[in-house]
Amino acid sequence: MGRYTLRRLLQLIPVILGTTFLIHFLVWNLPGDPFAGRCGERPCNPAYIERMTELYNLNDPLIIQYGKYLLNLLQGNFGEDFRGVPVAETMAEVWPNTVKLAVVALSIEIIIGIGAGVLTGLKRGGFLDNLVMISTLFLMSLPVFVIGYLLQLTLGLQLGIIRPTVSPEMPWSELIVPGFVLASLQVAFTARLTRASIAENMRADYVRTAVAKGLPRRRVVGVHLLRNSLIPAVTFLGTEVGALMAGAIVTEGIFNINGVGQTIYRGIITHDATAVVPMVTVLVLVYLLATLLVDLLYAVLDPRIRYE
Amino acid sequence: MTEMISTQSRPAGEAGRNYSGSLLEVDNLLVEFHTRQGVAKAVNGVTYSVDAGETLAVLGESGSGKSVTAQTIMGILDMPPGRITGGEIRFRGVDLLKLPEAERRKIRGAGISMIFQDALSALNPVFPVGWQIGEMFRVHRGTSRAEAKKKAIELMDKVRIPAAKQRVNDYPHQFSGGMRQRIMIAMAIALDPEILIADEPTTALDVTVQAQIMELLAELQRESNMGLILITHDLGVVADVADKIAVMYGGRIVEHASVHELYANPAHPYAKGLLESIPRVDQKGQELYAIKGTPPNLLRMPSGCAFHPRCPYRRDNCVTDVPPLYEVDGSRRSACHYWREVLDGTAG
Ligand SMILES: Nc1ncnc2c1ncn2[C@@H]1O[C@H](COP(=O)(O)OP(=O)(O)O)[C@@H](O)[C@H]1O
Ligand SMILES: [Mg+2]
């Protein structure tokens, strides 16, 4: 497994190179002047353009430009945005917020998704099962922003149960509803996946054996059945980290959370690529590492899987 | 009344300690499955018993209700769709079917345990085999992890798994079919049960391995004097180890006899058919006899004797009258109106 992990880590290098190059190319070298409309009504100050051009080596051929940019990144020099704020500073400010939101979302996904899946899988056709099946259908068919605005409107503005937007200090309690919105789609998928997996494995021979061994039902379900039924859900959680990050753009927007999604979004609509490239690069890295982590976890959960 | 309450509140292990009947008695058991197509009567009044040190072979085609009977004894029947509609299962005189689940659970694995046909699917794929064996001690006896593991290694040694100490942390898929069945056996005998039910324990294995497993079971039984219920559809497998045989057909026992009696002279046409369909050395090259027709449809059981559509001894009343279990002699029984003719060998 050690060698496998090492190989997977080495594979990250070309992927990172490829993605950063692509992103760099897309934001700096698409047709059109990157400075158009940057400085209000008037064209930009030549001194400013010159400074940015030099900072990002915009006069060099594309490949050199990219090489120099990458070298800067490696040295921890993330450049600065069009307002002159160092990108590293922005990153340090927004990443913790998004991570906090993602942790809440992932916890909700695991607790509610797997919990509901286990309960309904054990007893299909009951009231709880119908409730979960219908509500997950809702969650899956409604776009995230609809769910977000709906909850903000009802819980926040009409009922006043939550603050409509999250305060800048990002207290955990205020993140529950945004976290749920962000996780909504995945909660639904996880619940249904776990439900199907529990229902299928419940009939498995080894579960019958566990009962025949005289184990209490709690142990049959909680140890023997659950451990096997979690495998598909865990695989799913990993691949969904990417979707979670994409969903963050919308959720952060609705609840006014100063996070990665918001920053990237702002960067894109204001044509300020400076922050977008490093942010997305880190996103890609997070996604790849999460996938690797899940693959390794998969092997831990299911000993029949061996990575060579 | 007082008597009943005291029996129920005591652990089943104590209750009926001095019971004079057989160790395990299945008495007129009825089990149905409610399915979309209708009610399948899988077990229709099965009665059999096993004593300590005794081996009962339960023989019959696939679908004859052998496993369902065993699952009902163990209390691992799928309910629903299964439903127990009658009968008793007495373990040392105590009816297991009336026992509360908490009491019942303590008997599973400790008093009565079971091994299954397919050890690969019957063992949990994600836990080491030693862990699964040791779980018996941890759960039933509260043994510590380390101690349970030591016991697991001892048991793996006992069922002759080579290098048990090195393999205790391996997973089921890392063993061969025969070794996996040995692990199942180790788990089943961990707590020295009084009854071991083996449901087609060798059906999934190679012929040479089959013999080794049967030998192991017989040896373990001799050592611990447990009662063994050996379920099989293959008469050849049990001939050497069984004391008595119950032949099942369509959820009923059609013949009950000692192995010796049944081999020498079956008293039911179905048992006779089964005997004749065993390959024999002296008949090499000859075409094997096979019982004509198909097993009965449990949703629409034939009228009268369930075997009549396939029976060479059939007469008119076989179509209308359900045969009782006639007493042939001693403990020998046959559910055939014409068992005398079957014994004589004159086909009707
Ligand atoms: N879980 C179940 N659901 C529905 N029917 C079942 C189930 N288990 C067994 N049966 C029915 O009971 C009959 C007897 O099954 P079984 O005891 O497994 O036969 P065998 O003698 O081969 O062990 C089968 O033909 C089947 O129709
Ligand atoms: Mg069977």
Side-chain angles (χ1 to χ4, degrees):
Chain A
M1 203 120 114
R3 283 188 53 189
Y4 172 81
T5 314
L6 190 65
R7 214 176 61 215
R8 282 285 301 263
L9 285 173
L10 288 176
Q11 280 171 2
L12 292 185
I13 295 172
V15 177
I16 291 290
L17 287 179
T19 43
T20 48
F21 178 76
L22 209 65
I23 300 162
H24 184 81
F25 172 78
L26 282 175
V27 296
W28 283 115
N29 295 281
L30 281 183
D33 179 1
F35 295 103
R38 273 251 48 92
C39 315
E41 293 299 302
R42 288 163 301 151
C44 281
N45 181 340
Y48 176 73
I49 295 184
E50 198 177 311
R51 206 171 85 78
M52 292 312 282
T53 307
E54 193 188 332
L55 197 59
Y56 284 96
N57 307 293
L58 294 183
N59 285 334
D60 287 335
L62 176 59
I63 195 79
I64 308 261
Q65 201 185 100
Y66 170 70
K68 285 180 174 169
Y69 175 72
L70 203 62
L71 221 60
N72 275 335
L73 274 189
L74 283 180
Q75 289 165 352
N77 180 1
F78 287 52
E80 50 187 65
D81 69 13
F82 281 149
R83 290 169 300 166
V85 181
V87 174
E89 215 169 86
T90 314
M91 297 252 268
E93 190 186 326
V94 300
W95 263 105
N97 291 345
T98 296
V99 166
K100 248 175 132 172
L101 180 64
V103 165
V104 172
L106 217 58
S107 312
I108 289 176
E109 192 176 337
I110 290 170
I111 295 168
I112 297 187
I114 291 182
V118 169
L119 291 179
T120 57
L122 286 176
K123 203 164 183 309
R124 278 174 307 162
F127 169 74
L128 185 69
D129 189 27
N130 281 314
L131 183 74
V132 168
M133 288 313 273
I134 291 170
S135 50
T136 49
L137 192 64
F138 257 107
L139 291 181
M140 288 191 298
S141 43
L142 290 177
V144 173
F145 71 88
V146 174
I147 299 172
Y149 280 125
L150 221 68
L151 288 182
Q152 185 180 43
L153 195 70
T154 53
L155 296 181
L157 296 174
Q158 288 177 348
L159 299 174
I161 297 171
I162 59 161
R163 279 177 57 107
T165 55
V166 177
S167 16
E169 304 80 47
M170 302 270 301
W172 290 103
S173 60
E174 286 181 26
L175 286 177
I176 292 175
V177 173
F180 178 78
V181 171
L182 176 54
S184 57
L185 188 64
Q186 281 86 289
V187 164
F189 275 123
T190 307
R192 287 181 165 230
L193 207 63
T194 309
R195 174 184 182 269
S197 162
I198 287 269
E200 185 192 323
N201 287 326
M202 209 164 57
R203 308 210 156 275
D205 287 353
Y206 61 80
V207 173
R208 197 186 50 187
T209 308
V211 178
K213 284 167 83 171
L215 308 182
R217 184 171 160 74
R218 249 176 308 116
R219 190 175 172 92
V220 173
V221 172
V223 176
H224 286 263
L225 176 58
L226 195 59
R227 179 61 195 279
N228 281 274
S229 305
L230 280 185
I231 296 170
V234 167
T235 330
F236 176 76
L237 285 182
T239 52
E240 283 304 295
V241 168
L244 215 60
M245 293 299 173
I249 295 183
V250 177
T251 314
E252 287 175 5
I254 295 173
F255 294 97
N256 195 30
I257 295 166
N258 183 24
V260 175
Q262 277 286 72
T263 311
I264 292 176
Y265 175 69
R266 228 181 297 120
I268 290 171
I269 55 167
T270 59
H271 297 276
D272 188 348
T274 51
V276 174
V277 182
M279 289 270 181
V280 174
T281 304
V282 176
L283 269 187
V284 169
L285 203 63
V286 167
Y287 178 73
L288 292 174
L289 287 176
T291 321
L292 173 61
L293 197 70
V294 164
D295 282 350
L296 296 178
L297 196 59
Y298 195 29
V300 172
L301 277 181
D302 190 346
R304 286 164 297 184
I305 291 169
R306 277 279 153 264
Y307 296 124
E308 297 306 326
Chain B
M1 193 62 199
T2 2
E3 178 56 35
M4 219 184 89
I5 290 169
S6 67
T7 309
Q8 294 227 338
S9 58
R10 262 181 292 163
E14 293 304 315
R17 181 68 86 189
N18 306 316
Y19 182 68
S20 59
S22 287
L23 184 57
L24 180 78
E25 297 166 315
V26 178
D27 189 355
N28 202 16
L29 187 67
L30 300 167
V31 182
E32 307 176 337
F33 286 97
H34 289 245
T35 64
R36 216 165 288 176
Q37 292 84 35
V39 179
K41 300 196 163 177
V43 178
N44 300 305
V46 165
T47 299
Y48 59 58
S49 66
V50 199
D51 266 315
E54 191 178 42
T55 300
L56 165 75
V58 179
L59 188 72
E61 280 168 314
S62 143
S64 54
K66 309 181 297 290
S67 298
V68 171
T69 309
Q71 284 163 13
T72 314
I73 297 173
M74 283 306 290
I76 55 170
L77 190 66
D78 287 332
M79 296 198 285
R83 187 187 284 177
I84 303 165
T85 50
E88 289 190 350
I89 294 169
R90 290 185 295 271
F91 180 53
R92 292 211 217 92
V94 177
D95 185 4
L96 296 182
L97 300 180
K98 293 205 183 73
L99 226 50
E101 169 59 23
E103 295 292 319
R104 191 97 196 261
R105 179 176 77 67
K106 288 181 197 147
I107 298 177
R108 279 187 212 122
I112 309 177
S113 63
M114 182 161 175
I115 58 179
F116 303 93
Q117 175 176 335
D118 183 3
L120 180 59
S121 63
L123 290 165
N124 196 321
V126 303
F127 295 112
V129 295
W131 184 94
Q132 296 189 49
I133 298 170
E135 193 179 25
M136 299 297 288
F137 297 100
R138 295 199 310 276
V139 172
H140 285 271
R141 305 245 171 100
T143 315
S144 72
R145 260 168 192 280
E147 186 64 21
K149 189 165 173 174
K150 238 175 69 193
K151 297 223 174 200
I153 296 171
E154 282 167 23
L155 279 160
M156 285 168 73
D157 263 330
K158 188 168 182 181
V159 297
R160 290 197 289 276
I161 289 168
K165 204 167 181 162
Q166 285 85 52
R167 305 213 63 184
V168 67
N169 289 326
D170 283 359
Y171 292 90
H173 72 273
Q174 293 168 295
F175 291 85
S176 69
M179 287 302 148
R180 273 198 292 267
Q181 194 57 284
R182 282 169 198 270
I183 288 158
M184 266 314 295
I185 293 172
M187 199 158 76
I189 61 163
L191 303 181
D192 278 321
E194 283 155 279
I195 299 279
L196 176 63
I197 305 175
D199 190 354
E200 315 229 9
T202 63
T203 306
L205 303 175
D206 293 342
V207 180
T208 47
V209 184
Q210 280 185 2
Q212 293 165 7
I213 296 288
M214 289 311 301
E215 225 165 84
L216 176 67
L217 280 175
E219 183 189 313
L220 292 171
Q221 184 201 21
R222 270 197 306 277
E223 261 172 42
S224 64
N225 202 36
M226 59 186 173
L228 181 61
I229 300 179
L230 205 52
I231 296 172
T232 179
H233 65 262
D234 185 352
L235 191 49
V237 169
V238 296
D240 298 333
V241 287
D243 299 308
K244 55 189 193 185
I245 295 194
V247 181
M248 284 188 69
Y249 187 81
R252 238 177 250 278
I253 299 221
V254 293
E255 175 160 3
H256 189 282
S258 72
V259 173
H260 179 73
E261 287 166 336
L262 191 106
Y263 259 83
N265 201 355
H268 191 280
Y270 176 63
K272 198 179 170 89
L274 282 181
L275 263 184
E276 281 164 7
S277 57
I278 307 178
R280 283 192 224 177
V281 191
D282 56 338
Q283 289 178 344
K284 237 189 201 143
Q286 271 179 323
E287 201 175 324
L288 263 182
Y289 175 82
I291 302 171
K292 284 191 290 288
T294 52
N297 180 348
L298 296 177
L299 297 170
R300 263 174 286 110
M301 287 293 260
S303 60
C305 170
F307 188 59
H308 84 252
R310 307 167 74 179
C311 185
Y313 293 84
R314 179 182 59 222
R315 307 247 181 100
D316 288 349
N317 69 330
C318 297
V319 184
T320 51
D321 302 345
V322 180
L325 256 184
Y326 292 104
E327 185 174 332
V328 177
D329 66 58
S331 66
R332 188 157 194 205
R333 303 281 181 277
S334 167
C336 176
H337 294 303
Y338 303 102
W339 59 268
R340 286 196 175 80
E341 288 163 38
V342 182
L343 274 181
D344 294 341
T346 49

Coordinates of all heavy atoms in Angstrom, one line a residue, chain A residues 12-25 27 66 69-70 73-74 78 87 91 95 245 260 264 273-289:
Chain A
L12 N 0.1 12.9 -9.1 CA -0.5 14.2 -8.9 C 0.3 15.3 -9.6 O -0.3 16.3 -10.1 CB -0.5 14.6 -7.4 CG -1.4 13.8 -6.5 CD1 -1.3 14.4 -5.1 CD2 -2.8 13.8 -7.0
I13 N 1.6 15.1 -9.8 CA 2.4 16.2 -10.4 C 2.0 16.6 -11.8 O 1.7 17.7 -12.0 CB 3.9 15.8 -10.3 CG1 4.4 15.7 -8.8 CG2 4.8 16.8 -11.1 CD1 5.7 15.2 -8.6
P14 N 1.9 15.6 -12.7 CA 1.5 16.0 -14.0 C 0.1 16.6 -14.0 O -0.2 17.5 -14.8 CB 1.6 14.7 -14.8 CG 1.7 13.6 -13.9 CD 2.3 14.2 -12.7
V15 N -0.8 16.0 -13.2 CA -2.2 16.6 -13.2 C -2.2 18.0 -12.7 O -2.8 18.9 -13.3 CB -3.0 15.7 -12.2 CG1 -4.4 16.3 -12.2 CG2 -3.1 14.3 -12.7
I16 N -1.4 18.3 -11.7 CA -1.3 19.7 -11.2 C -0.7 20.6 -12.3 O -1.3 21.7 -12.5 CB -0.4 19.8 -9.9 CG1 -1.1 19.1 -8.7 CG2 -0.1 21.2 -9.5 CD1 -2.3 19.8 -8.2
L17 N 0.3 20.1 -12.9 CA 0.9 20.9 -14.0 C -0.1 21.2 -15.1 O -0.3 22.4 -15.5 CB 2.1 20.2 -14.6 CG 3.4 20.2 -13.7 CD1 4.5 19.4 -14.4 CD2 3.8 21.6 -13.4
G18 N -0.8 20.2 -15.5 CA -1.8 20.3 -16.6 C -2.9 21.3 -16.2 O -3.2 22.2 -17.0
T19 N -3.4 21.1 -15.0 CA -4.6 21.9 -14.7 C -4.1 23.4 -14.5 O -4.8 24.3 -15.0 CB -5.2 21.5 -13.4 OG1 -4.3 21.1 -12.4 CG2 -6.1 20.3 -13.6
T20 N -3.0 23.6 -13.8 CA -2.6 25.0 -13.6 C -2.3 25.7 -14.9 O -2.7 26.8 -15.1 CB -1.3 25.1 -12.7 OG1 -0.4 24.2 -13.2 CG2 -1.7 24.8 -11.3
F21 N -1.7 24.9 -15.8 CA -1.4 25.5 -17.1 C -2.7 25.9 -17.8 O -2.8 27.0 -18.4 CB -0.6 24.5 -18.0 CG -0.4 25.1 -19.4 CD1 0.7 26.0 -19.6 CD2 -1.1 24.7 -20.5 CE1 0.9 26.5 -20.9 CE2 -0.9 25.2 -21.7 CZ 0.1 26.1 -21.9
L22 N -3.7 25.0 -17.8 CA -4.9 25.2 -18.5 C -5.6 26.5 -17.9 O -6.1 27.4 -18.6 CB -5.8 24.0 -18.3 CG -6.8 23.8 -19.4 CD1 -6.1 23.5 -20.7 CD2 -7.8 22.6 -19.0
I23 N -5.6 26.5 -16.5 CA -6.3 27.6 -15.9 C -5.6 29.0 -16.2 O -6.2 30.0 -16.6 CB -6.4 27.4 -14.4 CG1 -7.2 26.1 -14.1 CG2 -7.1 28.6 -13.7 CD1 -7.0 25.6 -12.7
H24 N -4.3 28.9 -16.1 CA -3.5 30.1 -16.4 C -3.7 30.6 -17.8 O -4.0 31.8 -18.0 CB -2.0 29.7 -16.2 CG -1.1 30.9 -16.4 ND1 -0.8 31.8 -15.4 CD2 -0.3 31.3 -17.5 CE1 0.0 32.7 -15.9 NE2 0.3 32.4 -17.1
F25 N -3.7 29.6 -18.7 CA -4.0 30.0 -20.1 C -5.3 30.6 -20.3 O -5.5 31.6 -20.9 CB -3.8 28.7 -21.0 CG -4.3 28.9 -22.4 CD1 -3.4 29.5 -23.3 CD2 -5.5 28.4 -22.8 CE1 -3.8 29.7 -24.6 CE2 -5.9 28.6 -24.2 CZ -5.0 29.2 -25.0
V27 N -7.3 32.2 -18.2 CA -7.6 33.5 -17.6 C -6.7 34.6 -18.2 O -7.1 35.7 -18.2 CB -7.6 33.4 -16.1 CG1 -8.6 32.5 -15.5 CG2 -6.2 33.1 -15.6
Y66 N 4.2 31.0 -18.1 CA 3.7 30.0 -17.2 C 4.7 29.4 -16.3 O 4.5 29.2 -15.1 CB 3.0 28.8 -18.0 CG 2.6 27.6 -17.2 CD1 1.6 27.7 -16.3 CD2 3.3 26.4 -17.3 CE1 1.2 26.6 -15.5 CE2 3.0 25.3 -16.5 CZ 1.9 25.4 -15.6 OH 1.6 24.4 -14.9
Y69 N 5.5 31.8 -13.7 CA 4.4 31.9 -12.7 C 4.5 30.7 -11.7 O 4.3 30.8 -10.5 CB 3.1 31.9 -13.5 CG 1.9 31.8 -12.6 CD1 1.5 32.9 -11.9 CD2 1.1 30.6 -12.5 CE1 0.4 32.9 -11.1 CE2 0.0 30.6 -11.7 CZ -0.3 31.7 -11.0 OH -1.4 31.7 -10.2
L70 N 4.7 29.5 -12.3 CA 4.8 28.3 -11.5 C 5.9 28.4 -10.5 O 5.8 28.0 -9.3 CB 5.0 27.1 -12.5 CG 4.6 25.7 -11.9 CD1 3.1 25.7 -11.7 CD2 5.0 24.7 -12.9
L73 N 4.8 30.4 -7.7 CA 3.9 29.6 -6.9 C 4.7 28.7 -5.9 O 4.4 28.7 -4.7 CB 3.0 28.8 -7.8 CG 1.7 29.4 -8.3 CD1 0.8 28.3 -9.0 CD2 0.9 30.2 -7.2
L74 N 5.7 28.0 -6.5 CA 6.4 27.1 -5.7 C 7.2 27.7 -4.6 O 7.4 27.2 -3.5 CB 7.4 26.3 -6.6 CG 6.8 25.2 -7.5 CD1 7.8 24.5 -8.4 CD2 6.1 24.2 -6.6
F78 N 2.3 34.0 -4.4 CA 1.1 33.8 -5.1 C 0.7 35.1 -5.9 O -0.4 35.1 -6.5 CB 0.0 33.5 -4.1 CG 0.1 32.1 -3.6 CD1 1.2 31.6 -3.0 CD2 -1.0 31.2 -3.7 CE1 1.3 30.3 -2.6 CE2 -0.9 29.9 -3.2 CZ 0.3 29.5 -2.6
V87 N -2.3 37.8 -3.0 CA -3.3 36.7 -3.1 C -3.1 35.8 -1.9 O -4.1 35.2 -1.3 CB -3.0 35.9 -4.4 CG1 -3.9 34.6 -4.4 CG2 -3.3 36.8 -5.6
M91 N -6.1 34.2 0.4 CA -6.2 32.8 0.6 C -6.3 32.5 2.1 O -7.2 31.7 2.6 CB -5.0 32.0 0.1 CG -4.9 32.2 -1.4 SD -5.3 30.7 -2.3 CE -3.7 29.9 -2.4
W95 N -9.8 30.6 2.9 CA -9.8 29.1 3.0 C -10.4 28.6 4.3 O -11.2 27.7 4.3 CB -8.4 28.6 2.8 CG -8.2 28.2 1.4 CD1 -7.6 28.8 0.4 CD2 -8.8 27.0 0.7 NE1 -7.7 28.2 -0.8 CE2 -8.4 27.1 -0.6 CE3 -9.6 26.0 1.2 CZ2 -8.8 26.1 -1.5 CZ3 -10.0 25.0 0.3 CH2 -9.6 25.1 -1.1
M245 N -17.3 21.5 -3.5 CA -16.6 22.7 -3.7 C -17.3 23.6 -4.7 O -17.4 24.8 -4.6 CB -15.2 22.4 -4.2 CG -14.3 21.7 -3.2 SD -14.1 22.8 -1.8 CE -13.2 21.8 -0.6
V260 N -13.9 30.6 -0.4 CA -13.2 30.3 -1.7 C -14.1 30.5 -2.9 O -13.8 31.1 -3.9 CB -12.6 28.9 -1.7 CG1 -12.0 28.6 -3.0 CG2 -11.6 28.8 -0.6
I264 N -13.5 33.1 -5.9 CA -13.4 32.7 -7.3 C -14.4 33.4 -8.2 O -14.2 33.9 -9.2 CB -13.4 31.2 -7.4 CG1 -12.2 30.5 -6.7 CG2 -13.5 30.7 -8.9 CD1 -12.2 29.0 -6.7
A273 N -8.0 37.6 -12.7 CA -7.6 36.2 -12.7 C -6.6 35.9 -11.7 O -6.3 34.8 -11.3 CB -7.0 35.9 -14.1
T274 N -6.0 37.0 -11.1 CA -4.8 36.8 -10.2 C -5.1 35.8 -9.1 O -4.3 35.0 -8.7 CB -4.4 38.2 -9.7 OG1 -5.6 38.8 -9.1 CG2 -3.8 39.0 -10.7
A275 N -6.3 36.0 -8.5 CA -6.7 35.1 -7.4 C -7.2 33.8 -7.8 O -7.1 32.8 -7.2 CB -7.6 35.8 -6.5
V276 N -7.9 33.8 -9.0 CA -8.6 32.6 -9.5 C -7.6 31.4 -9.7 O -7.8 30.3 -9.2 CB -9.3 32.9 -10.8 CG1 -9.9 31.6 -11.3 CG2 -10.4 33.9 -10.6
V277 N -6.4 31.7 -10.3 CA -5.5 30.6 -10.6 C -5.0 29.9 -9.4 O -5.2 28.7 -9.3 CB -4.3 31.1 -11.5 CG1 -3.4 29.9 -11.9 CG2 -4.9 31.8 -12.8
P278 N -4.4 30.6 -8.4 CA -4.0 29.8 -7.2 C -5.1 29.2 -6.5 O -5.0 28.1 -6.0 CB -3.3 30.9 -6.4 CG -3.6 32.2 -7.0 CD -4.0 32.0 -8.4
M279 N -6.2 29.8 -6.4 CA -7.4 29.3 -5.7 C -7.8 28.0 -6.3 O -8.0 27.0 -5.6 CB -8.6 30.2 -5.7 CG -8.4 31.5 -4.9 SD -9.0 31.2 -3.2 CE -8.6 32.8 -2.6
V280 N -8.0 28.0 -7.6 CA -8.5 26.8 -8.3 C -7.4 25.7 -8.2 O -7.7 24.5 -8.0 CB -8.9 27.1 -9.7 CG1 -9.2 25.8 -10.5 CG2 -10.0 28.1 -9.8
T281 N -6.2 26.1 -8.3 CA -5.1 25.1 -8.2 C -5.2 24.4 -6.8 O -5.1 23.1 -6.8 CB -3.7 25.8 -8.3 OG1 -3.7 26.5 -9.5 CG2 -2.6 24.8 -8.3
V282 N -5.4 25.1 -5.8 CA -5.6 24.5 -4.5 C -6.8 23.6 -4.4 O -6.8 22.5 -3.9 CB -5.6 25.5 -3.3 CG1 -5.8 24.8 -2.0 CG2 -4.3 26.3 -3.3
L283 N -7.9 24.1 -5.1 CA -9.1 23.3 -5.1 C -8.8 21.9 -5.8 O -9.2 20.9 -5.3 CB -10.1 24.0 -6.0 CG -11.1 24.9 -5.2 CD1 -12.2 25.4 -6.2 CD2 -11.7 24.2 -4.1
V284 N -8.1 22.0 -6.9 CA -7.8 20.8 -7.7 C -7.0 19.8 -6.8 O -7.2 18.6 -6.7 CB -7.0 21.1 -8.9 CG1 -6.4 19.8 -9.6 CG2 -7.9 21.8 -9.9
L285 N -6.0 20.4 -6.0 CA -5.2 19.6 -5.2 C -6.0 19.0 -4.1 O -5.9 17.8 -3.8 CB -4.1 20.6 -4.5 CG -2.9 19.9 -4.0 CD1 -2.1 19.2 -5.2 CD2 -2.0 20.9 -3.3
V286 N -6.9 19.7 -3.5 CA -7.8 19.2 -2.4 C -8.6 18.0 -3.0 O -8.7 17.0 -2.4 CB -8.7 20.3 -1.9 CG1 -9.9 19.7 -1.1 CG2 -8.0 21.3 -1.1
Y287 N -9.1 18.2 -4.2 CA -10.0 17.2 -4.8 C -9.2 15.9 -5.0 O -9.6 14.8 -4.7 CB -10.5 17.7 -6.1 CG -11.4 16.7 -6.8 CD1 -12.6 16.3 -6.3 CD2 -10.9 16.0 -7.9 CE1 -13.4 15.4 -7.0 CE2 -11.6 15.0 -8.6 CZ -12.9 14.7 -8.1 OH -13.6 13.8 -8.7
L288 N -8.0 16.1 -5.6 CA -7.1 14.9 -5.8 C -6.7 14.2 -4.6 O -6.8 12.9 -4.5 CB -5.9 15.3 -6.6 CG -6.1 15.8 -8.0 CD1 -4.8 16.3 -8.6 CD2 -6.7 14.7 -8.9
L289 N -6.4 14.9 -3.5 CA -6.0 14.3 -2.3 C -7.2 13.6 -1.6 O -7.0 12.5 -1.1 CB -5.4 15.4 -1.3 CG -4.0 15.8 -1.7 CD1 -3.5 16.9 -0.8 CD2 -3.0 14.7 -1.7

